Amino acid sequence: MNFSTKLINWYTVNKRDLPWRSTNNPYYIWLSEIILQQTQVVQGTPYYHAFTSQFPTVFDLANANEEDVLKLWQGLGYYSRARNLHWSAKYIVNELDGVFPDTYKDILKLKGVGDYTASAIASICFNEVTAVVDGNVYRALSRIFGIETPINSTPGQKEFKALAQQLIDKQQPAIFNQAIMEFGARQCKPKNPDCSVCPFKTSCLALKENKIAVLPVKLKKTKVTKKYFNFIVIISKNEKTILEQRIGSGIWQNLYQFPLIETEKPSTYNNIKSKIENLDVLADMNFDVHLYNDTDIIHKLSHQHLYTKFWIVSVDECIENGIDISNIKDYPVPILIGNFIDKFNF
DNA sequence: AAGCCGGGGTC
DNA sequence: GACCCAGGCTT
């Protein structure tokens, strides 16, 4: 039995019933693929339902405000995905008359769509024979074929793409692509896979040579840096607070946050209080400062650990700028801020 | 080629 | 703690 037949037989028996498997509509497949980039199915599924419900067509998404798209994306992370998704929806509507591109080459022109996502959409929706290579495929192929080329190197990416393209079932590329990803996710798992029930157990080179735990090979790891964040939560007499939109480069682009004072080292009360006094919005005002969280909240991103303090600043005067606290949940915020807003009793 | 970009889960 | 996730963009 050849590779594809073995794989698809396994898939037929073991596949999950997932919402996006019941459609070939490229708009829905696109939504699912963007949502699932670097995201597990269990985490992404609620967002898939939310997006298809709130934006049933590409026109609905294109007509939305970016802020509404970010709000719906809140909590999922990698927010450039949401901004690019919105950009591409407008591009499809304005430049393509709302017709979704139907070839790998044209799908690749969408922002936020790279080789993997273009291959997935082109094969699943349009039966184009373009092999997908995601984290699951890297793991499965590196083990079955005993390939030790680092998967995050340029030669590795080319080698695995070529191998997948050679293996793909040209009669049913849509099924093959979904099958190999599902196989990597459910059978050829990162840790402790049950190789005794694997359809490739007799031929898998990694199993034969006891290399399951060391494959796939990956080049180094990005080192994590520590940052010290102080969020200034202003509460005025007229029940307003200040939210600022993050602009420019860096994390959480275009999301909102309380005014942020970043320090080189853990801050002290006196240290922060003097900096709060210099905030323009509080010029010549009397206020009281107290620390909300006794111990730092450590928010972990992929390459930063944010040691976070929330400082509550009560102002016994009215402020003119700022937003009504009653409307605070309308703004898209990073989950670190969102958790605080949910817990804090304004 | 290397660094950056989230949040949640497993082991 | 280390590693992973239906990756892609910027420098």
Side-chain angles (χ1 to χ4, degrees):
Chain A
M1 212 185 303
N2 65 24
F3 184 90
S4 171
T5 304
K6 263 187 197 171
L7 180 66
I8 291 175
N9 284 349
W10 176 92
Y11 179 65
T12 303
V13 174
N14 293 285
K15 70 176 173 183
R16 288 168 289 184
D17 184 18
L18 301 175
W20 45 90
R21 289 210 172 125
S22 56
T23 179
N24 287 328
N25 182 325
Y27 172 64
Y28 291 115
I29 298 300
W30 173 52
L31 282 178
S32 74
E33 292 299 345
I34 301 298
I35 287 170
L36 292 172
Q37 285 171 3
Q38 294 295 288
T39 303
Q40 304 207 173
V41 166
V42 286
Q43 190 188 0
T45 299
Y47 288 84
Y48 176 79
H49 289 308
F51 270 81
T52 53
S53 172
Q54 184 159 337
F55 306 119
T57 72
V58 71
F59 297 95
D60 300 312
L61 181 56
N63 289 335
N65 300 318
E66 180 180 282
E67 208 155 298
D68 294 331
V69 179
L70 284 172
K71 184 65 190 176
L72 206 56
W73 198 269
Q74 179 175 310
L76 197 53
Y78 284 145
Y79 295 92
S80 66
R81 291 185 291 171
R83 296 191 302 271
N84 288 335
L85 188 75
H86 188 225
W87 185 97
S88 295
K90 289 193 287 188
Y91 165 77
I92 292 168
V93 166
N94 296 329
E95 309 293 328
L96 307 179
D97 296 327
V99 179
F100 207 94
D102 61 357
T103 65
Y104 168 87
K105 184 164 167 279
D106 287 336
I107 297 168
L108 200 52
K109 293 173 183 169
L110 304 178
K111 268 193 190 176
V113 171
D115 176 77
Y116 162 75
T117 304
S119 298
I121 299 172
S123 62
I124 293 171
C125 302
F126 305 108
N127 287 310
E128 191 168 330
V129 184
T130 52
V132 294
V133 184
D134 72 338
N136 295 309
V137 177
Y138 278 122
R139 186 171 52 255
L141 293 184
S142 70
R143 286 174 175 168
I144 295 172
F145 294 92
I147 301 169
E148 302 189 21
T149 315
I151 60 172
N152 55 345
S153 66
T154 301
Q157 288 173 15
K158 291 176 68 174
E159 181 176 356
F160 283 94
K161 176 77 178 181
L163 176 55
Q165 190 64 31
Q166 176 191 324
L167 293 169
I168 191 173
D169 191 326
K170 293 176 176 52
Q171 304 308 314
Q172 34 186 350
I175 304 286
F176 179 92
N177 275 343
Q178 294 179 81
I180 194 167
M181 290 190 285
E182 189 82 337
F183 175 78
R186 307 269 287 174
Q187 170 63 42
C188 201
K189 297 185 298 181
K191 305 279 186 187
N192 306 324
D194 183 3
C195 299
S196 70
V197 297
C198 179
F200 298 103
K201 65 180 176 184
T202 59
S203 60
C204 178
L205 283 181
L207 181 59
K208 183 179 175 184
E209 299 171 7
N210 199 21
K211 288 181 177 171
I212 293 291
V214 299
L215 290 175
V217 174
K218 216 169 177 179
L219 251 36
K220 39 180 159 181
K221 27 208 144 180
T222 59
K223 76 166 195 210
V224 176
T225 61
K226 293 181 180 179
K227 292 194 170 184
Y228 300 93
F229 277 13
N230 297 273
F231 288 113
I232 311 306
V233 183
I234 294 171
I235 303 173
S236 74
K237 188 179 180 184
N238 52 339
E239 296 190 350
K240 285 178 177 288
T241 190
I242 304 288
L243 286 185
E244 299 173 339
Q245 190 170 29
R246 292 182 67 94
I247 51 174
S249 59
I251 60 172
W252 303 330
Q253 197 179 113
N254 295 10
L255 273 65
Y256 288 80
Q257 65 182 14
F258 299 106
L260 171 62
I261 297 174
E262 185 178 349
T263 53
E264 295 288 328
K265 299 175 183 175
S267 57
T268 64
Y269 178 86
N270 289 333
N271 180 346
I272 283 295
K273 186 170 184 185
S274 67
K275 296 190 180 192
I276 294 174
E277 287 168 353
N278 292 330
L279 294 178
D280 287 339
V281 66
L282 297 178
D284 301 326
M285 291 191 178
N286 292 316
F287 58 85
D288 175 71
V289 181
H290 76 270
L291 181 58
Y292 167 71
N293 52 315
D294 210 25
T295 57
D296 283 1
I297 296 168
I298 306 174
H299 188 71
K300 296 180 177 180
L301 307 181
S302 44
H303 60 291
Q304 297 178 25
H305 286 181
L306 310 178
Y307 289 72
T308 307
K309 289 180 168 70
F310 288 91
W311 299 90
I312 312 301
V313 177
S314 306
V315 184
D316 195 26
E317 301 180 44
C318 294
I319 58 175
E320 296 178 5
N321 297 325
I323 65 145
D324 291 330
I325 289 174
S326 58
N327 294 334
I328 198 167
K329 294 195 177 183
D330 294 342
Y331 293 83
V333 296
I335 205 67
L336 172 61
I337 303 290
N339 287 343
F340 169 81
I341 291 172
D342 287 342
K343 277 183 69 179
F344 185 69
N345 193 8
F346 276 106

